[in-house]
Amino acid sequence: MSAARGEFSSRFGFLMAASGSAVGLGNIWGFPTNTASNGGAAFLFTYLILVFLLAYPALMAELIIGRHGHSNAVTALQGLSRGRATYLLGTTVGFVGIVTVSLILSFYVIVSGWMMAYLIDPLARLAGLNSLAGWLTGDGLVRDSLFVLLFMGLTIYVISAGVKEGIEKWASRLMPSLIVILILLILYVVTLPGASEGLRAYLVPDFGVVANPHLIINALGQAFFSLSLGVGTMLIYGSYVNKRENLAQLGSLVALLDVGIAFLAGLLILPAMYVAQNNGVAIYDAAGGLIAGPGLILSVLPALFNSMGPIGLLVALAFFLLMTIASLTSSISMLEVPVAYAVENHGVERKKATVAIGAIIAVICLIIVANFSVLFDLTVTVTTEWSQPLGGLFFCVFVAWIWNRNGLLREISQGYPDVEQSLFWKIWPFYVKFICPVAILMVYVQLLGFL
Ligand code: PFF
């Protein structure tokens, strides 16, 4: 089996693929507005601490289990088990991860489809097709369904080509483009009137807000979503990493890239919102908070682009291209989870598995689209607030409580021979054993209303 398995051909390839999974709508959409509404730089500071003290250790747990098992989550966790009970637990955690990531992909594809529609809108307007432009940016079942199919088609296209020719090749092209577009957009937007007020809202700390436990817990949830944790995505990417690589270092680079791009996204979104306000667009909702949900991306920013005159078309094109790229490098990582399982454990040919599973998930997307008001928020809440942190908790439990310490050390030493003397080995095992599980449990205590 191992000969047939894909593998990333270089560190760069892995870094682009894994940071591509991590960097997505969560970074460009979620993080900046969360920061602005929750104490600016004070939230950023709390977020950074949480990423490096809690999410990074959980990320390492997944990468290490994956590389050790050289397989998908179900098989890798079964391989670490020490008896019937832990075997059953491993099987369950692996399967729940597959179901969860498929459901995350279902809502993610819907939102990514909107990004694609808004990407085509400026092109339609340039071509003078104004009624098409109106259709692209107006809500509608047919538009949503069509773009679900288009975006899912792209995701299937990349994943069916495999690890090297699909994931690595496309992530290595798309991620550098994403960074260039993001920087160009920032450089342009910060020169516009009103931008400095946005920078202030983003960067001036208000430490009074940070002591709030809800805020800390929300930041932890954001960190888990942003690093694609708890569903086996990072685990499967870890399984494609060569044994010669230093995983601890690769993992920290992925976390740094994720945080770095989220930070840069804030330098774009917040100034853009205040420039929009300067141009007469409302950026606060009725309750007095900054508009953060779909309203931000689908109405505030398009209104800003419209108010910019002809250059606004170009800016809109660049912005929605950025969003589409960010979405695609994340969606491929999600589809890879069930596909890898079908290929490895059931011998299904990759192309067939990708098309079949992609089609099933597309049907789920269409069901959500048709019952949007009931199913969309429910799917987001169940998968990201409940399932994802719970999965993360169990990956930590497997690494720290079920796997024996020597086996773990042996796996990490490959590619990092002096790890035993490192700060990483002094701190990380303690974190995954005690701190991460307790912190994740606190999230549930809060969700159940006890905090
Ligand atoms: N990390 C992605 C984002 O920030 O948008 C979302 C994500 C990707 C979640 C992959 C889960 C996953 F498995």
Side-chain angles (χ1 to χ4, degrees):
M1 189 171 77
S2 64
R5 275 197 113 236
E7 193 174 280
F8 293 116
S9 66
S10 65
R11 314 184 70 191
F12 179 76
F14 167 77
L15 278 177
M16 292 301 102
S19 63
S21 169
V23 172
L25 299 170
N27 299 59
I28 302 176
W29 186 330
F31 176 79
T33 40
N34 245 329
T35 308
S37 329
N38 293 310
F43 179 89
L44 177 67
F45 183 69
T46 315
Y47 183 73
L48 284 180
I49 293 180
L50 288 176
V51 166
F52 284 100
L53 298 190
L54 295 171
Y56 169 67
L59 167 69
M60 285 312 302
E62 278 198 47
L63 291 176
I64 291 171
I65 295 175
R67 189 174 71 169
H68 176 73
H70 210 232
S71 63
N72 62 81
V74 175
T75 312
L77 292 177
Q78 287 171 341
L80 288 182
S81 65
R82 297 190 179 189
R84 237 181 99 72
T86 50
Y87 186 89
L88 261 176
L89 180 66
T91 312
T92 312
V93 173
F95 275 118
V96 170
I98 291 177
V99 173
T100 304
V101 80
S102 305
L103 290 173
I104 295 179
L105 182 56
S106 317
F107 76 73
Y108 211 82
V109 166
I110 298 172
V111 179
S112 308
W114 296 339
M115 299 301 110
M116 265 182 105
Y118 275 74
L119 168 65
I120 299 176
D121 162 60
L123 296 175
R125 277 189 288 153
L126 264 178
L129 302 170
N130 288 335
S131 61
L132 174 65
W135 178 76
L136 286 166
T137 53
D139 282 346
L141 196 64
V142 179
R143 179 205 65 172
D144 286 359
S145 309
L146 189 76
F147 280 93
V148 155
L149 297 178
L150 268 175
F151 191 83
M152 187 54 107
L154 275 184
T155 308
I156 291 174
Y157 171 77
V158 175
I159 286 303
S160 63
V163 179
K164 225 178 269 174
E165 288 305 308
I167 299 172
E168 181 172 348
K169 185 165 114 184
W170 282 100
S172 305
R173 287 174 180 174
L174 294 174
M175 285 307 286
S177 325
L178 176 143
I179 295 173
V180 172
I181 299 173
L182 181 58
I183 291 176
L184 289 178
L185 280 170
I186 294 169
L187 291 177
Y188 176 65
V189 169
V190 294
T191 61
L192 300 175
S196 55
E197 206 182 322
L199 285 177
R200 220 169 301 126
Y202 182 43
L203 295 174
V204 175
D206 173 2
F207 279 100
V209 198
V210 173
N212 179 347
H214 292 248
L215 175 73
I216 297 176
I217 287 159
N218 288 345
L220 185 64
Q222 162 84 26
F224 264 67
F225 183 72
S226 189
L227 279 175
S228 313
L229 298 178
V231 288
T233 303
M234 288 301 181
L235 190 151
I236 196 74
Y237 274 15
S239 80
Y240 300 139
V241 174
N242 195 288
K243 296 275 187 197
R244 289 187 299 274
E245 297 294 349
N246 179 338
L247 268 189
Q249 197 188 60
L250 283 182
S252 58
L253 288 174
V254 171
L256 271 175
L257 274 168
D258 185 55
V259 171
I261 293 177
F263 175 72
L264 283 181
L267 293 180
L268 170 66
I269 300 291
L270 268 300
M273 288 183 84
Y274 285 82
V275 172
Q277 187 182 39
N278 194 66
N279 292 7
V281 180
I283 64 168
Y284 292 99
D285 58 23
L290 276 175
I291 296 178
L296 166 63
I297 303 288
L298 302 181
S299 86
V300 173
L301 294 183
L304 164 68
F305 303 144
N306 281 339
S307 71
M308 287 175 162
I311 189 135
L313 282 181
L314 194 67
V315 179
L317 197 67
F319 179 74
F320 286 107
L321 183 62
L322 174 80
M323 295 302 269
T324 307
I325 292 176
S327 304
L328 185 62
T329 53
S330 297
S331 70
I332 57 177
S333 73
M334 295 185 223
L335 185 57
E336 178 63 15
V337 175
V339 167
Y341 171 75
V343 171
E344 291 176 0
N345 290 27
H346 296 283
V348 188
E349 199 248 323
R350 176 174 270 271
K351 270 203 175 65
K352 278 196 194 128
T354 312
V355 172
I357 295 170
I360 294 171
I361 296 174
V363 171
I364 301 175
C365 294
L366 296 178
I367 295 174
I368 297 177
V369 163
N371 301 278
F372 195 84
S373 57
V374 187
L375 292 183
F376 187 82
D377 283 351
L378 183 69
T379 316
V380 175
T381 309
V382 170
T383 53
T384 63
E385 289 184 16
W386 289 92
S387 234
Q388 240 189 318
L390 198 61
L393 171 75
F394 281 113
F395 287 125
C396 291
V397 166
F398 262 86
V399 155
W401 293 91
I402 298 176
W403 199 348
N404 72 58
R405 213 174 139 92
N406 284 339
L408 180 60
L409 182 60
R410 233 176 295 127
E411 178 56 49
I412 309 177
S413 310
Q414 309 199 48
Y416 192 178
D418 27 333
V419 64
E420 213 173 340
Q421 282 78 47
S422 68
L423 191 64
F424 176 80
W425 187 250
K426 290 197 177 82
I427 299 176
W428 177 75
F430 176 75
Y431 263 90
V432 266
K433 194 159 191 165
F434 300 106
I435 310 281
C436 294
V438 169
I440 296 168
L441 282 175
M442 274 172 54
V443 175
Y444 288 98
V445 172
Q446 192 234 0
L447 282 174
L448 292 169
F450 295 130
L451 245 177

